[in-house]
Amino acid sequence: PSFGIARSLCLSALPARRSALGTMGCGGSKEAPKKDDKKKGGADSAANDKAKDRKNAANENKEYQAKMEFLAKVPLMKRLPKDQHPLVAGALVIQDFPKGATIIKQGDSGDELFVIRSGEATVHIKDDSGESKQVAKLKGGDYFGENALLRDEVRMATIIADTALATFKLKRDKFQELGLNDKLQFANRKAVGAGVAAEAKSKPPSSKDDAEFKL
């Protein structure tokens, strides 16, 4: 009889043990991530990366097309063969300035040429007494700073953004790499650069239009 009672107690304990083991098993399954979830997360990440790449490529293409269209309208580029425009477009860097910003300063060294995309700027020259005088205004399509590229000279004028100013910037190393000193026509330009100070000091004031000043 005692053997029968003990056997009954053991059998009654089995469901509780099985329940406990089942609970432990459930807890373990929650901690271990499923392989399918890992694959899904990796696929989502790859899809997001591809979408970002497509968006960046679209933006770069749009920017490149804008450069090409702009270059075709700039008088400075008239002598440049059409097949050279893509090379120049690839070398140009977009740089914008807020109203009132000093873009280049007289007496500073520089290695950049700027071409105005939109907006206006004013050209200021300091005389021997240190007094600053406005000598010209610049607008879309005009350029400045070429003397720093052509002759490695210091800035001979100060250029200030009269409005919000959008420009394309070309560095000296790219300018020389593309051989643009022999391809671009700076002599008969309407725009101004950054070298008028020497001319202003050596000659008396003339009746020239502001657009005829050469910097």
Side-chain angles (χ1 to χ4, degrees), residues 63 67-68 70-71 77 85-95 113 115 167-171 174 178 180:
E63 182 179 302
K67 289 178 181 179
M68 290 292 291
F70 179 78
L71 290 176
M77 301 294 168
H85 283 199
L87 299 176
V88 176
L92 293 175
V93 177
I94 291 176
Q95 185 164 358
L113 163 74
V115 183
T167 74
F168 284 128
K169 178 175 68 176
L170 182 63
K171 300 280 287 185
K174 289 294 184 181
L178 297 174
L180 296 179

Side-chain angles (χ1 to χ4, degrees), residues 163-215:
T163 66
L165 200 69
T167 74
F168 284 128
K169 178 175 68 176
L170 182 63
K171 300 280 287 185
R172 182 190 294 130
D173 57 349
K174 289 294 184 181
F175 181 84
Q176 294 174 345
E177 180 183 318
L178 297 174
L180 296 179
N181 53 320
D182 297 323
K183 298 173 183 176
L184 297 182
Q185 184 175 1
F186 289 105
N188 298 320
R189 64 192 184 279
K190 282 186 178 181
V192 291
V196 71
E199 185 175 345
K201 289 179 181 178
S202 60
K203 295 181 180 180
S206 68
S207 59
K208 287 183 179 180
D209 183 90
D210 280 349
E212 293 182 274
F213 276 99
K214 291 186 292 185
L215 294 185

Side-chain angles (χ1 to χ4, degrees), residues 45-62:
S45 178
N48 289 336
D49 289 343
K50 287 182 180 179
K52 288 179 181 178
D53 289 342
R54 286 195 295 268
K55 184 177 181 181
N56 290 337
N59 289 338
E60 287 176 4
N61 184 59
K62 185 177 180 181

Side-chain angles (χ1 to χ4, degrees), residues 103-124:
I103 305 166
I104 62 175
K105 186 177 180 181
Q106 184 176 347
D108 287 352
S109 59
D111 64 348
E112 301 160 333
L113 163 74
F114 295 89
V115 183
I116 298 177
R117 296 158 52 210
S118 63
E120 296 182 351
T122 49
V123 185
H124 302 262

Side-chain angles (χ1 to χ4, degrees), residues 20-93:
L21 289 171
T23 303
M24 290 173 65
C26 290
S29 65
K30 288 181 180 178
E31 292 177 3
K34 296 180 180 179
K35 290 183 179 180
D36 290 345
D37 291 342
K38 285 184 178 180
K39 290 180 180 179
K40 185 178 179 182
D44 289 344
S45 178
N48 289 336
D49 289 343
K50 287 182 180 179
K52 288 179 181 178
D53 289 342
R54 286 195 295 268
K55 184 177 181 181
N56 290 337
N59 289 338
E60 287 176 4
N61 184 59
K62 185 177 180 181
E63 182 179 302
Y64 174 79
Q65 291 299 327
K67 289 178 181 179
M68 290 292 291
E69 291 174 9
F70 179 78
L71 290 176
K73 301 174 184 177
V74 177
L76 175 63
M77 301 294 168
K78 282 184 177 179
R79 282 184 56 193
L80 189 67
K82 294 292 183 182
D83 62 355
Q84 298 285 301
H85 283 199
L87 299 176
V88 176
L92 293 175
V93 177

